[in-house]
Amino acid sequence: MHMGERSEREWLPLELVKTSAEYLTAKGIPTPRLDAEVLLCAVLGCSRVKLYTLYAEPVSSEGLARYREMIRRRVAREPVSRILGKREFMGLEFVVTPDVLSPRPETEILVERVLQFFDVTPKQKRSEIISRERERKSIEQLKEQVAALRADEVPPEVQEAITRYEAERESELEENDAAAVRDRRLLDLGTGSGCIPISVVCQLGGVVALGVDISREALRVAQDNAERLGVAQKVEFRESDFFQALDPAEKFDIIVSNPPYLVEGDSAIWPEVSGYDPELALYGGVDGLACYRLIIAGCADYLLPGGQLLLELGAGQLGAVTELVREAYPGAEVESIDDYSGIQRVLVVRNIC
């Protein structure tokens, strides 16, 4: 930050923000005013709102030195979250290190859809209720007729129909009872900082989560975040290359992932991403789809009936990923959700099982 001879005198906070923002603008930083404010707030230990009430209190020489170093790092395109070592996501503060992808605002869209899925139980269609009630009455009438006959007078196919119906009803009641008492389960593939499962369990009761990642270092960060936010008992983290370390008996109500989906060498990737986020969390093979193929191929083995798969997408990937889903599960229903910039960012897949 170039302040010339004025660096010898005292600087007021808003004056410092204005000068810094101008400097960041000249250096091509995408959000100069916001970054200048956030970094100074970190130095002063205050909120952005509070910053505007400190207009008459000069920044100390120690604070000024810290701030100038932060501005220098930002000019080098180091993300603000890396400079501060933390990032806000879904109203929570997450520790971030060079071992994890820094949480993005667009991923909040995926989390919001998960919250909606868990918080709203789909109602049974009226036509389905009527059909089941008619079936029940027909079977009850049939049982009354059979009761008046000798065993050898009951056609085998009739007795089989009654037996099958009663077994299905008993199983259905047991499933409903189990669903009423069990915790609902979420699986996050490639969990990184743990921001997705932690955000979900922080906001909803009756939900437990498993986050897996191939990186031990990332899992340490995720575990630390869970402990700091008081949900370590509700979120398990496990080292696994997607489904590789999961037990086939493990089933989930919803599977989510923000997988690596960039193509290495893409000129559209910002320096803040290519230079500071871990490569393991960024690149998805020669076409960016390698991880989607693995997730889509394996998810059916771990989803409960009625479960959903939610995938975050890169710009322009909706068509290709939807085609992968169609090939694997011809009867599946898909829905896309746009992010704040109008990019088709989240793919929701239903009726996989």
Side-chain angles (χ1 to χ4, degrees), residues 43-100:
V43 170
L44 300 179
C46 69
S47 66
R48 288 175 64 201
V49 173
K50 180 70 173 176
L51 184 65
Y52 285 83
T53 69
L54 301 176
Y55 57 87
E57 300 179 26
V59 178
S60 68
S61 57
E62 295 82 4
L64 181 61
R66 284 184 59 207
Y67 186 62
R68 293 185 65 177
E69 174 59 15
M70 288 179 173
I71 293 295
R72 182 195 65 76
R73 292 169 65 181
R74 186 68 190 103
V75 168
R77 302 304 290 263
E78 186 173 354
V80 170
S81 59
R82 297 283 181 228
I83 296 171
L84 301 181
K86 60 185 179 180
R87 178 69 176 256
E88 184 177 309
F89 182 84
M90 293 297 295
L92 303 170
E93 187 175 277
F94 288 85
V95 168
V96 292
T97 74
D99 297 312
V100 299

Side-chain angles (χ1 to χ4, degrees), residues 2 16 54 110 114 134 162 287 308 315 341:
H2 179 67
L16 197 53
L54 301 176
L110 185 151
V114 172
R134 285 175 178 168
I162 293 174
D287 59 359
Q308 294 185 7
S341 302

Side-chain angles (χ1 to χ4, degrees), residues 17-248:
V17 165
K18 179 177 181 296
T19 301
S20 301
E22 291 172 351
Y23 181 61
L24 292 174
T25 299
K27 295 297 183 178
I29 302 303
T31 52
R33 179 78 185 195
L34 174 63
D35 293 356
E37 289 182 355
V38 169
L39 292 174
L40 187 55
C41 286
V43 170
L44 300 179
C46 69
S47 66
R48 288 175 64 201
V49 173
K50 180 70 173 176
L51 184 65
Y52 285 83
T53 69
L54 301 176
Y55 57 87
E57 300 179 26
V59 178
S60 68
S61 57
E62 295 82 4
L64 181 61
R66 284 184 59 207
Y67 186 62
R68 293 185 65 177
E69 174 59 15
M70 288 179 173
I71 293 295
R72 182 195 65 76
R73 292 169 65 181
R74 186 68 190 103
V75 168
R77 302 304 290 263
E78 186 173 354
V80 170
S81 59
R82 297 283 181 228
I83 296 171
L84 301 181
K86 60 185 179 180
R87 178 69 176 256
E88 184 177 309
F89 182 84
M90 293 297 295
L92 303 170
E93 187 175 277
F94 288 85
V95 168
V96 292
T97 74
D99 297 312
V100 299
L101 189 74
S102 186
R104 307 289 199 264
E106 50 267 33
T107 304
E108 293 187 349
I109 296 169
L110 185 151
V111 173
E112 288 165 358
R113 186 52 180 260
V114 172
L115 296 175
Q116 179 185 348
F117 171 84
F118 278 136
D119 211 30
V120 180
T121 303
K123 294 182 179 178
Q124 196 174 21
K125 293 180 181 178
R126 180 170 174 77
S127 60
E128 293 176 352
I129 295 173
I130 292 173
S131 176
R132 291 291 290 170
E133 183 60 19
R134 285 175 178 168
E135 182 184 14
R136 186 191 66 78
K137 287 181 177 179
S138 296
I139 293 293
E140 291 300 328
Q141 290 173 358
L142 190 59
K143 287 169 68 177
E144 290 176 5
Q145 295 169 8
V146 167
L149 301 174
R150 296 196 313 269
D152 60 351
E153 293 178 327
V154 181
E157 57 270 22
V158 172
Q159 188 58 57
E160 288 174 7
I162 293 174
T163 302
R164 183 171 61 251
Y165 173 79
E166 291 179 336
E168 289 175 353
R169 284 288 294 162
E170 184 176 349
S171 176
E172 188 177 277
L173 291 172
E174 288 176 354
E175 287 180 4
N176 289 340
D177 290 342
V181 298
R182 73 171 176 84
D183 285 324
R184 295 162 294 175
R185 304 193 70 212
L186 174 145
L187 171 62
D188 180 27
L189 301 169
T191 196
S193 65
C195 64
I196 294 175
I198 290 172
S199 297
V200 171
V201 301
C202 276
Q203 299 198 43
L204 289 180
V207 177
V208 294
L210 170 62
V212 304
D213 205 291
I214 197 172
S215 167
R216 289 185 182 181
E217 292 76 16
L219 292 172
R220 291 190 187 101
V221 175
Q223 186 66 43
D224 178 51
N225 280 321
E227 290 172 0
R228 284 191 317 101
L229 292 168
V231 293
Q233 75 282 3
K234 298 177 67 178
V235 188
E236 176 191 352
F237 294 105
R238 191 183 306 172
E239 185 177 350
S240 179
D241 187 1
F242 294 126
F243 301 105
Q244 174 264 326
L246 270 64
D247 188 310

